[in-house]
Amino acid sequence: EIHRLAKYPPNFPEAAVSRSYLDLVFELPWGHCSKDKLNLAACRRQLDRDHYGLQTIKERILEYLAVMKRQKSMKDETYKAPILCLVGPPGVGKTSIAQSIATALGRSYIRMSLGGVKDEAEIRGHRRTYIGAMPGRIIQAIKRAGTDNPLILMDEIDKLGSDYRGDPASALLEVLDPEQNRSFRDHYLELNYDLSQVLFVTTANTTETIPDALLDRMELIELSGYTEEEKTEIARLHLWPKQQKLNGLAAGELRLSKTAIHGIIEDYTREAGVRQLEQQLARIARRWLLKKEEKSGPSAAAPNKLLQRRDLTRYLGKSRYHYDLVDTKDLVGLANGLAWTVNGGDMLNIEVSAVKGSGKLQLTGQLGDVMQESAKVALSYVRGHAAELGLDTSYCEKTDIHIHVPEGAIPKDGPSAGITLAVAALSALSGRPVKHQVAMTGELTIRGRVLPIGGLKEKMIAAQRAGVKTVLFPRQNEADLDDIPASVKDKLQLCPINDAQEAFALALAAAPAGNS
Ligand code: ADP
């Protein structure tokens, strides 16, 4: 290529192409690696310094680093570090954990977002015959890192797309596969490049949309949402000091009381992580600064302030969110379900009404296919066991059932409302009210078995926040209770259930006298 460039006349367009190619080749590190620090005590300190809580995650990462250290000391050339995949809702610290690992190891850190990448060429580059051809993102990342062993964070691997321009997932597979990435071939570079020293870490919000072949190669570490207590501590110890520094506030100039932080979390954010919380804290810091700077004269030297919850509207405007609370009385046909979304857990009211008709089922509230099926299963179960449940079979046949899940504009899906749908349906058909302080979750089978569900921690947090006293959950989820903080568990009565009959017994009150 150098020979070719030497032969081109200076202003020849090909010369520029040739030159930028050569620039890239010479800028790549070609085997230059930074030396790993691999001091586990220092790594632990780094992870603890940057993050509150997350104990199991930190342990898991330290185990991973310990294995890496041992393998390095044995000079095992065949050792391939597994690829970590941090899975969890937005704002729970996935990116910042990856950053801490890089800092602890002393490796350069490069983040690339894979969200919306549809074209294989983005990973692997365009051939140089194309006008404006460029190397792919992997080679660009190595160039930016300046070493052959950076930590490359591939964000949002679950949002990878694919279309007629090729499948980026298969290109990534090659990048992440230790058998193949020793000689990765970028279309632009056209030289084999050794990626085997790179530490790849990926993040995702959910594993459902990650292609199976990729999922197989990664080791999953799941992060769940934070409780309110955890968020308060994170705000106090990490987010607020960071925002003070970013906005130029002196330490102690503006302090936040615990109740104020609680107020921000409850009234101004709705999320599993702490991203909105961080934004709201930044807003407070900016507003405070503006107000202080605008005041001239003696008031500018106002004493340090401790912000209280009642001051929040002055800084953040009216509160934006309010959480649904449990009803104040037992109602017929209304049951509290618990749902999991990327924003964390939520309480979901399920309303059922029974009206005269011909046994039809109507569903409203933007229920997804799976949830509609759950509703049918729930109703089949109740109707199929009508006699046993003390219902009049002929009455059931002459009754239409309408199931509605409020906040109709928000799509809802998933099988975990099954048991709630059955309880609400039985309540509507029997006239027995549902106990208002009970909430429940669990998939239901036609035979009435209750199957396990995901997101138990978030659901329990939502239940406690909504004022629920008793939570019914699938017995097979009992192992997940270990992940739920005591501050949440202690306030709830937790009832593991195996089947629908147990749920009915626990959730339904007796029918009022005179009701048949
Ligand atoms: P994600 O990658 O999961 O979306 P981020 O890593 O971007 O989340 O986290 C958002 C912000 O919250 C960052 O400023 C991060 O430092 C902070 N953060 C999240 N979890 C914690 C924690 N446990 N301790 C301290 N800060 C945290």
Side-chain angles (χ1 to χ4, degrees):
E1 191 69 32
I2 295 174
H3 284 310
R4 202 180 301 166
L5 179 62
K7 281 189 218 138
Y8 288 138
N11 288 333
F12 203 54
E14 313 280 308
V17 175
S18 188
R19 179 178 295 276
S20 51
Y21 173 77
L22 284 169
D23 280 345
L24 172 74
V25 172
F26 287 115
E27 270 171 84
L28 286 172
W30 296 110
H32 167 67
C33 289
S34 61
K35 198 161 162 10
D36 279 343
K37 289 201 255 175
L38 279 178
N39 171 343
L40 292 177
C43 293
R44 187 183 283 277
R45 274 199 302 277
Q46 181 75 40
L47 285 169
D48 281 338
R49 197 181 309 140
D50 296 345
H51 299 96
Y52 172 84
L54 299 174
Q55 282 321 326
T56 46
I57 312 290
K58 289 176 187 166
E59 287 303 316
R60 182 64 201 84
I61 285 169
L62 287 166
E63 286 167 17
Y64 171 87
L65 296 176
V67 175
M68 194 160 124
K69 179 173 178 178
R70 171 62 62 88
Q71 297 287 5
K72 283 244 153 115
S73 69
M74 297 195 324
K75 302 240 177 323
D76 182 357
E77 283 296 313
T78 55
Y79 172 66
K80 313 278 187 301
I83 290 147
L84 295 180
C85 180
L86 303 166
V87 188
V92 291
K94 300 182 295 295
T95 318
S96 79
I97 283 186
Q99 224 162 351
S100 290
I101 300 177
T103 318
L105 289 176
R107 292 194 180 201
S108 31
Y109 165 82
I110 302 286
R111 170 169 177 247
M112 69 169 89
S113 175
L114 294 175
V117 169
K118 289 194 182 130
D119 186 353
E120 191 194 345
E122 289 208 40
I123 307 289
R124 214 199 273 278
H126 287 283
R127 288 185 198 288
R128 265 191 299 148
T129 42
Y130 289 105
I131 292 176
M134 280 208 307
R137 294 200 190 197
I138 305 287
I139 291 295
Q140 286 180 26
I142 298 282
K143 182 180 133 187
R144 257 195 298 154
T147 53
D148 267 356
N149 64 341
L151 184 152
I152 298 189
L153 178 72
M154 299 187 159
D155 232 350
E156 305 193 310
I157 196 158
D158 53 332
K159 311 262 175 359
L160 209 60
S162 75
D163 64 8
Y164 63 94
R165 286 170 295 189
D167 180 9
S170 63
L172 261 193
L173 214 56
E174 197 185 314
V175 172
L176 297 178
D177 183 356
E179 301 298 327
Q180 299 181 51
N181 68 9
R182 232 166 242 290
S183 50
F184 172 69
R185 206 154 170 102
D186 182 279
H187 289 325
Y188 179 87
L189 189 63
E190 288 186 322
L191 295 166
N192 289 348
Y193 204 91
D194 182 359
L195 298 176
S196 61
Q197 300 306 309
V198 177
L199 191 59
F200 288 105
V201 178
T202 60
T203 77
N205 290 144
T206 149
T207 51
E208 275 163 31
T209 47
I210 304 180
D212 281 345
L214 273 177
L215 205 54
D216 280 350
R217 291 203 171 43
M218 298 190 293
E219 187 153 333
L220 299 183
I221 299 186
E222 291 191 38
L223 290 87
S224 50
Y226 293 120
T227 62
E228 223 153 89
E229 279 74 22
E230 287 169 326
K231 287 184 187 175
T232 312
E233 288 305 297
I234 293 173
R236 209 168 59 81
L237 298 171
H238 294 272
L239 305 178
W240 182 238
K242 186 163 133 197
Q243 287 308 324
Q244 280 179 308
K245 207 186 264 166
L246 281 176
N247 292 290
L249 298 188
E253 188 178 347
L254 174 62
R255 288 177 301 128
L256 301 182
S257 70
K258 259 197 173 165
T259 52
I261 297 179
H262 256 285
I264 303 171
I265 296 168
E266 273 175 23
D267 298 339
Y268 296 90
T269 69
R270 182 161 236 185
E271 57 179 349
V274 292
R275 203 170 276 171
Q276 291 173 9
L277 177 58
E278 188 169 25
Q279 287 162 358
Q280 298 299 349
L281 291 173
R283 256 176 91 186
I284 292 183
R286 290 195 303 266
R287 278 229 77 87
W288 157 259
L289 198 66
L290 174 65
K291 282 191 177 164
K292 191 157 180 181
E293 292 290 318
E294 271 181 349
K295 278 190 201 153
S296 53
S299 58
N304 293 346
K305 182 166 171 69
L306 178 67
L307 199 78
Q308 299 292 352
R309 187 170 184 156
R310 61 175 178 276
D311 302 323
L312 290 178
T313 33
R314 288 226 316 277
Y315 290 85
L316 298 175
K318 286 223 174 66
S319 76
R320 299 180 183 195
Y321 300 107
H322 59 92
Y323 284 106
D324 279 343
L325 294 179
V326 287
D327 241 290
T328 46
K329 54 181 185 301
D330 299 351
L331 294 171
V332 172
L334 178 85
N336 302 318
L338 295 170
W340 181 90
T341 69
V342 281
N343 295 326
D346 213 346
M347 202 177 70
L348 202 64
N349 288 324
I350 292 191
E351 301 175 343
V352 177
S353 80
V355 285
K356 214 166 156 199
S358 54
K360 285 202 293 285
L361 170 66
Q362 195 180 2
L363 298 165
T364 52
Q366 284 219 48
L367 312 185
D369 292 345
V370 180
M371 199 159 168
Q372 295 195 13
E373 287 176 1
S374 298
K376 289 178 193 153
V377 169
L379 205 60
S380 294
Y381 177 79
V382 172
R383 284 200 171 128
H385 293 74
E388 206 178 309
L389 294 167
L391 296 174
D392 177 351
T393 1
S394 63
Y395 168 71
C396 287
E397 278 161 17
K398 283 181 274 165
T399 309
D400 281 353
I401 294 286
H402 181 173
I403 298 181
H404 179 65
V405 186
E407 299 200 55
I410 303 169
K412 308 161 194 89
D413 207 359
S416 74
I419 190 63
T420 325
L421 288 158
V423 166
L426 178 59
S427 164
L429 285 168
S430 67
R432 291 170 65 186
V434 187
K435 295 181 187 162
H436 68 279
Q437 286 179 324
V438 174
M440 61 210 92
T441 177
E443 178 172 350
L444 185 69
T445 70
I446 289 253
R447 292 172 187 224
R449 280 192 37 223
V450 174
L451 301 184
I453 44 84
L456 193 69
K457 179 180 173 190
E458 278 85 359
K459 288 178 176 176
M460 294 281 183
I461 295 172
Q464 188 231 325
R465 193 173 50 207
V468 167
K469 292 280 180 289
T470 307
V471 178
L472 317 184
F473 67 98
R475 191 173 281 278
Q476 290 182 46
N477 276 107
E478 257 177 327
D480 299 340
L481 289 182
D482 295 345
D483 301 338
I484 298 169
S487 62
V488 174
K489 266 193 289 199
D490 293 350
K491 295 191 190 118
L492 295 169
Q493 186 197 358
L494 303 173
C495 304
I497 51 172
N498 280 318
D499 58 49
Q501 298 288 354
E502 288 176 55
F504 296 152
L506 290 161
L508 292 172
N515 199 330
S516 64

